[in-house]
């Protein structure tokens, strides 16, 4: 194709495009005009429809009104039936009522809303009142005093009451202390209200709180549960006793009551109060403003009765025998301290928590003062009890038993010393024990001077110091006082034994010695026959007198008794045999030799075995 032809074709295409664009513009203009007209008509239509929309909204509101009113009628039917048959449905009805009240409160323009609102509010008030009655009835029905046997069943085996008669606790003290470390102490949880009932009580409580009935709820719970708590403790044996009541009691009765109080404290804190805290926490879950004050009020009176007895004992007149029960009481308060702090940790329980801490400190103080009194009482004990036979004095056995018992309380005593002093508690215990032992020995020295016979003085001191040493060696006191203390006091026992022999037997042994004789001559020539007769007569009288008197004396320890007899025999028998062998022939050749040689050496030996047997004057001599 040539150039002219090509140009003609391009011009034809250009003309065609121009025509198309012109048509497109015409269409666009027409569309804009149409859309503008449509927009105007739509606006007019919307204006025309607005009254219809408003009427539709009113109809919908009217339907809601009708629906709420129907639901109110349905809720009313459920509420009139009461909560007892179907509590869950009843609580749903209360929620519906609240929703209805909320709806009509927001939509007061709805015709007759005031009437419905008033009716619904009145109905809700009646519903909450019935709910309150239901809560009270449900709580009362399931709140029963706990029988003692049920409480005992929750205790570990080692802490269950034994069949021992009340008041006889001393023998059991050491075993209970030893058992504590040997047996696992496991408490079974105590169920105060069946677990299935607790969610119902919780739901009822929540509805009362929502209705603003906290005070009514608080009063119902406190009055019901506090009464049950007090009844449970009364059934157990807890009684309110004043300081005056305590002062008037005989010690045996009081000691039994203190033993019981220790069990009551343990049962109250670990079982009853712990169980109460658990149900309180579940019923008032999520509402600390009620949960803590309710628990505080329910337990306040019971705790006060228990602590007041402890205070009465701690403040009563001090006496040595009270030390162990004071330590027992201090021990249980220390044992329960962490649990008391946990249970009574809230601000509402502050007074009870502080009272418990105060009692613990008061018991510690009284125990320490009693300890001091005991040491002084031992030193100054002026009892006129005289042991005529020179045996172990009651004071000695009392003090030694006292010290033995103290060692069952070693850890408690160390804790006690730390209450008042940060020093080494073990060295404090050693110092106290040493002082008590010294005070006892000082007192025994004084008592020994009551004897007119110096031999009996020595025998008495020998017996008592030996008893002290033997008891220390067989107890934990040995570890505290040490081997040196034991060895020193064993030597003291030996010194008294030697003194006894010297005082008792020196005079009689002089009868069997030959004095002033010619050293180069024989013994038989140094004494005249008359002198020999006189020596035998003197020996007989003195030995019979010693036998008669000293067979009434007592050496209670069999080993010590045998060793003392042997020590006397080792000196007396050889001297007597020697004297009889040397001077016997001078008498035997004369008249009535048996008048002078009344005892064969074998008879003397046999009679020595009757010494220190505590035989009476009336017993005939062999």
């Amino acid at each position: 194709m040539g150039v002219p032809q090509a140009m003609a074709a391009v011009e034809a295409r250009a003309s065609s495009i121009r025509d198309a664009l012109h048509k497109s513009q015409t269409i666009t203009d027409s569309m804009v005009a149409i859309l503008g007209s449509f927009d105007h008509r739509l606006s007019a239509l919307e204006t025309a429809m607005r009254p219809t929309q408003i009427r539709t909204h009113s109809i919908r509101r009217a339907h809601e009104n009708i629906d709420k009113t129907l639901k109110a009628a349905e809720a009313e039917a459920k509420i009139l039936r009461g909560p007892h048959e179907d509590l869950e449905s009843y609580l749903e009805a209360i929620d519906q009522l609240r929703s209805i009240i909320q709806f009509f409160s927001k939509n007061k323009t709805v015709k007759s809303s005031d009437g419905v609102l008033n009716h619904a509010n009145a109905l809700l008030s009646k519903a909450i009142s019935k709910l309150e009655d239901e809560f009270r009835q449900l709580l009362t029905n399931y709140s029963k005093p706990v029988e003692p046997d049920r409480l005992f069943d929750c205790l570990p085996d080692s802490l269950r009451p034994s069949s021992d008669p009340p008041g006889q606790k001393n023998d059991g003290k050491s075993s209970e202390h030893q058992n504590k470390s040997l047996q696992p102490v496991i408490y079974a949880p105590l169920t105060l209200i069946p677990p299935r009932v607790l969610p119902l009580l919780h739901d009822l409580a929540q509805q009362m709180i929502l209705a603003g009935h906290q005070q009514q709820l608080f009063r119902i719970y406190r009055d019901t549960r506090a009464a049950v708590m007090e009844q449970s403790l009364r059934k157990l044996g807890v009684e309110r006793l004043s300081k005056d009541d305590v002062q008037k009691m005989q010690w045996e009765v009081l000691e039994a009551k203190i033993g019981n109080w220790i069990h009551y404290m343990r049962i109250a804190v670990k079982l009853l109060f712990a169980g109460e805290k658990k149900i309180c926490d579940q019923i008032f879950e999520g509402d600390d403003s009620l949960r803590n004050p309710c628990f505080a009020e329910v337990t306040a009176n019971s705790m006060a009765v228990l602590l007041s007895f402890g205070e009465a004992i701690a403040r009563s007149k001090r006496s040595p025998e009270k030390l162990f029960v004071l330590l027992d009481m201090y021990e249980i308060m220390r044992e329960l301290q962490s649990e008391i702090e946990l249970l009574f940790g809230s601000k509402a329980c502050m007074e009870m928590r502080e009272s418990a801490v105060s009692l613990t400190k008061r018991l510690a103080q009284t125990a320490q003062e009693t300890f001091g009194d005991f040491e002084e009482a031992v030193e100054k004990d002026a009892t006129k009890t005289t042991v005529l036979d020179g045996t172990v004095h009651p004071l000695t056995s009392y003090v030694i038993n006292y010290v033995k018992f103290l060692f069952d309380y070693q850890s408690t005593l160390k804790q006690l010393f730390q209450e008042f002093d940060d020093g080494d508690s073990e060295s404090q215990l050693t110092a106290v024990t040493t002082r008590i032992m010294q005070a006892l020995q000082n007192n025994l020295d004084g008592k020994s001077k009551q004897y007119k016979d110096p031999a009996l003085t020595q025998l008495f001191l020998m017996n008592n110091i030996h008893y002290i040493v033997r008891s220390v060696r067989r107890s934990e006191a040995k570890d505290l006082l040490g081997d040196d203390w034991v060895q020193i006091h064993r030597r003291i026992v030996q010194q008294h034994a030697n003194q006894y022999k010297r005082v008792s037997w020196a005079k009689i042994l002089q009868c069997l010695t030959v004095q002033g004789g010619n050293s180069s001559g024989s013994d038989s020539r140094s004494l005249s026959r008359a002198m020999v007769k006189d020596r035998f007569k003197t020996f007989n009288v003195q030995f019979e007198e010693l036998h008669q008197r000293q067979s009434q004396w007592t050496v209670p320890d069999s080993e010590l008794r045998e060793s003392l007899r042997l020590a006397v025999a080792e000196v007396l028998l050889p001297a007597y045999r020697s004297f009889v062998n040397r001077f016997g022939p001078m008498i035997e050749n004369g008249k009535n030799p048996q008048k002078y040689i009344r005892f064969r050496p074998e008879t003397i030996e046999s009679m020595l075995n009757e010494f220190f047997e505590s035989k009476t004057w009336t017993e005939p001599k062999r």
Side-chain angles (χ1 to χ4, degrees):
M1 185 185 292
V3 172
Q5 291 165 320
M7 287 295 290
V10 167
E11 280 177 8
R13 287 289 298 277
S15 174
S16 168
I17 288 166
R18 271 198 304 275
D19 289 345
L21 283 169
H22 181 70
K23 282 179 187 172
S24 175
Q25 182 63 49
T26 307
I27 290 164
T28 300
D29 291 344
S30 299
M31 282 299 291
V32 167
I34 288 163
L35 284 170
S37 165
F38 181 72
D39 186 46
H40 176 72
R41 287 200 300 276
L42 193 65
S43 179
L45 180 64
E46 189 180 46
T47 305
M49 284 180 70
R50 190 168 289 124
T52 307
Q53 283 177 329
I54 291 166
R55 281 198 302 278
T56 305
H57 183 64
S58 295
I59 289 162
R60 192 168 66 248
R61 289 274 295 282
H63 272 297
E64 256 186 77
N65 184 358
I66 292 160
D67 186 46
K68 292 288 181 192
T69 308
L70 286 169
K71 281 188 176 171
E74 185 186 319
E76 182 170 11
K78 286 180 183 176
I79 281 158
L80 290 174
R81 276 200 300 273
H84 201 65
E85 289 177 17
D86 186 355
L87 181 60
E88 196 176 335
S89 176
Y90 189 84
L91 294 176
E92 279 175 14
I94 288 176
D95 283 337
Q96 281 179 336
L97 264 185
R98 286 211 172 92
S99 166
I100 289 159
I101 288 165
Q102 194 178 12
F103 170 79
F104 284 110
S105 297
K106 284 181 181 174
N107 299 293
K108 288 203 172 180
T109 53
V110 176
K111 194 178 177 185
S112 77
S113 64
D114 283 349
V116 174
L117 200 55
N118 290 339
H119 185 65
N121 273 318
L123 195 58
L124 183 61
S125 178
K126 189 185 287 185
I128 297 300
S129 178
K130 285 189 175 188
L131 209 58
E132 197 175 294
D133 292 340
E134 180 67 11
F135 183 84
R136 182 185 287 106
Q137 192 177 346
L138 200 59
L139 189 67
T140 305
N141 285 350
Y142 288 101
S143 292
K144 301 296 176 200
V146 187
E147 294 299 325
D149 285 348
R150 261 189 72 206
L151 292 169
F152 298 150
D153 287 344
C154 295
L155 292 172
D157 289 344
S158 60
L159 296 174
R160 288 184 190 176
S162 68
S163 55
D164 293 340
Q168 294 185 4
K169 292 185 168 52
N170 276 358
D171 292 340
K173 269 180 195 160
S174 55
S175 61
E176 185 177 322
H177 277 252
Q178 288 156 7
N179 285 344
K180 276 184 186 175
S181 57
L182 298 175
Q183 296 180 355
V185 180
I186 300 163
Y187 291 80
L190 178 67
T191 305
L192 294 176
I193 290 178
R196 63 186 172 80
V197 180
L198 291 171
L200 299 178
L201 288 167
H202 171 263
D203 291 346
L204 290 167
Q206 287 301 304
Q207 290 294 344
M208 288 173 71
I209 291 164
L210 284 171
H213 285 224
Q214 285 94 332
Q215 283 306 309
Q216 294 92 316
L217 178 60
F218 176 80
R219 275 198 301 274
I220 293 166
Y221 190 87
R222 178 198 62 197
D223 295 348
T224 308
R225 295 299 307 160
V228 166
M229 177 69 73
E230 287 162 35
Q231 285 166 22
S232 297
L233 286 170
R234 270 200 301 276
K235 277 176 172 279
L236 190 61
V238 174
E239 53 190 330
R240 190 184 286 276
L241 293 169
S242 67
K243 187 181 168 186
D244 288 342
D245 295 330
V246 165
Q247 293 284 36
K248 288 172 193 168
M249 275 181 205
Q250 288 187 327
W251 170 240
E252 291 75 16
V253 176
L254 187 58
E255 189 182 22
K257 285 193 183 296
I258 292 167
N260 289 336
W261 178 84
I262 288 162
H263 286 302
Y264 300 157
M265 277 303 297
R266 197 181 269 124
I267 287 168
V269 172
K270 288 186 175 282
L271 298 176
L272 286 169
F273 295 162
E276 190 64 41
K277 185 79 166 71
K278 194 186 284 184
I279 63 169
C280 218
D281 287 351
Q282 285 179 266
I283 292 171
F284 300 109
E285 187 185 1
D287 199 308
D288 286 353
S289 66
L290 268 177
R291 185 176 62 173
N292 294 327
C294 274
F295 175 71
E297 288 283 325
V298 165
T299 52
N301 195 44
S302 294
M303 187 66 154
V305 168
L306 286 163
L307 294 180
S308 69
F309 177 79
E311 282 286 344
I313 298 295
R315 292 175 184 274
S316 64
K317 189 179 176 185
R318 297 196 304 268
S319 61
E321 68 270 16
K322 280 187 187 169
L323 179 60
F324 298 109
V325 294
L326 287 165
L327 291 174
D328 283 334
M329 292 170 78
Y330 172 71
E331 215 171 55
I332 192 65
M333 291 306 294
R334 288 281 311 168
E335 183 191 316
L336 299 174
Q337 188 174 329
S338 59
E339 268 147 305
I340 287 172
E341 283 173 7
L342 194 67
L343 290 171
F344 300 98
S346 70
K347 191 177 176 183
C349 298
M350 187 170 68
E351 193 178 330
M352 281 176 279
R353 194 168 66 249
E354 287 177 351
S355 294
V357 169
S358 167
L359 174 58
T360 309
K361 286 185 176 170
R362 168 73 63 183
L363 288 165
Q365 186 183 344
T366 309
Q368 195 177 50
E369 288 166 0
T370 305
F371 217 155
D373 293 347
F374 176 68
E375 191 183 319
E376 191 178 335
V378 171
E379 180 94 50
K380 295 181 177 175
D381 175 72
T383 51
K384 299 297 178 190
T385 310
T386 305
V387 286
L388 299 172
D389 58 356
T391 190
V392 175
H393 196 279
L395 177 70
T396 306
S397 52
Y398 173 69
V399 172
I400 292 300
N401 283 336
Y402 202 91
V403 170
K404 276 185 189 171
F405 276 136
L406 282 179
F407 281 91
D408 289 332
Y409 292 86
Q410 268 194 80
S411 58
T412 308
L413 285 166
K414 287 173 185 174
Q415 183 67 53
L416 189 80
F417 292 137
Q418 285 170 359
E419 292 268 0
F420 306 100
D421 190 347
D422 295 331
D424 178 9
S425 55
E426 179 139 342
S427 61
Q428 283 178 284
L429 188 56
T430 304
V432 169
T433 309
T434 307
R435 287 201 307 270
I436 289 171
M437 292 299 192
Q438 191 55 54
L440 175 59
Q441 286 175 72
N442 294 345
N443 191 288
L444 291 169
D445 282 338
K447 284 183 167 42
S448 73
K449 292 178 173 62
Q450 296 171 347
Y451 297 109
K452 290 176 182 172
D453 188 332
L456 189 54
T457 295
Q458 296 304 321
L459 194 83
F460 170 78
L461 289 170
M462 178 198 74
N463 275 332
N464 281 270
I465 305 297
H466 178 268
Y467 180 84
I468 293 169
V469 173
R470 191 192 63 177
S471 300
V472 166
R473 285 178 66 198
R474 292 177 180 178
S475 75
E476 292 175 75
K478 181 179 181 289
D479 298 332
L480 212 63
L481 294 171
D483 286 331
D484 286 350
W485 187 95
V486 170
Q487 291 309 319
I488 288 166
H489 286 79
R490 285 179 80 175
R491 283 200 293 275
I492 292 171
V493 172
Q494 192 56 53
Q495 285 164 13
H496 288 304
N498 292 339
Q499 285 287 82
Y500 156 79
K501 281 191 297 182
R502 188 182 61 77
V503 172
S504 244
W505 297 96
K507 194 175 173 187
I508 198 169
L509 284 167
Q510 281 177 349
C511 299
L512 305 177
T513 59
V514 180
Q515 294 173 333
N518 184 344
S519 58
S520 60
S522 71
D523 286 340
S524 57
R525 288 197 302 270
S526 62
L527 287 176
S528 68
R529 191 170 175 190
M531 288 168 75
V532 169
K533 283 183 178 180
D534 190 54
R535 291 287 182 92
F536 272 115
K537 279 169 73 176
T538 304
F539 176 86
N540 294 339
V541 169
Q542 287 188 6
F543 185 72
E544 281 189 333
E545 190 184 300
L546 280 170
H547 176 264
Q548 189 182 45
R549 189 162 68 250
Q550 294 198 21
S551 60
Q552 295 176 75
W553 295 358
T554 304
V555 176
D557 184 82
S558 57
E559 281 183 35
L560 185 62
R561 186 168 62 244
E562 285 308 312
S563 85
L564 197 61
R565 285 171 179 169
L566 190 61
V568 171
E570 281 174 350
V571 177
L572 183 66
L573 289 175
Y576 186 70
R577 278 197 187 96
S578 174
F579 194 83
V580 169
N581 287 340
R582 287 169 187 167
F583 299 106
M586 291 172 69
I587 306 298
E588 284 164 354
N589 294 333
K591 283 199 293 185
N592 299 325
Q594 69 277 8
K595 181 179 173 183
Y596 302 102
I597 306 173
R598 290 182 57 188
F599 302 107
R600 307 308 305 164
E602 299 76 31
T603 311
I604 295 285
E605 188 172 9
S606 174
M607 288 174 77
L608 280 177
N609 286 330
E610 294 175 353
F611 277 55
F612 322 126
E613 287 280 8
S614 193
K615 295 190 183 296
T616 60
W617 284 91
T618 53
E619 186 176 333
K621 295 193 295 292
R622 284 186 285 173

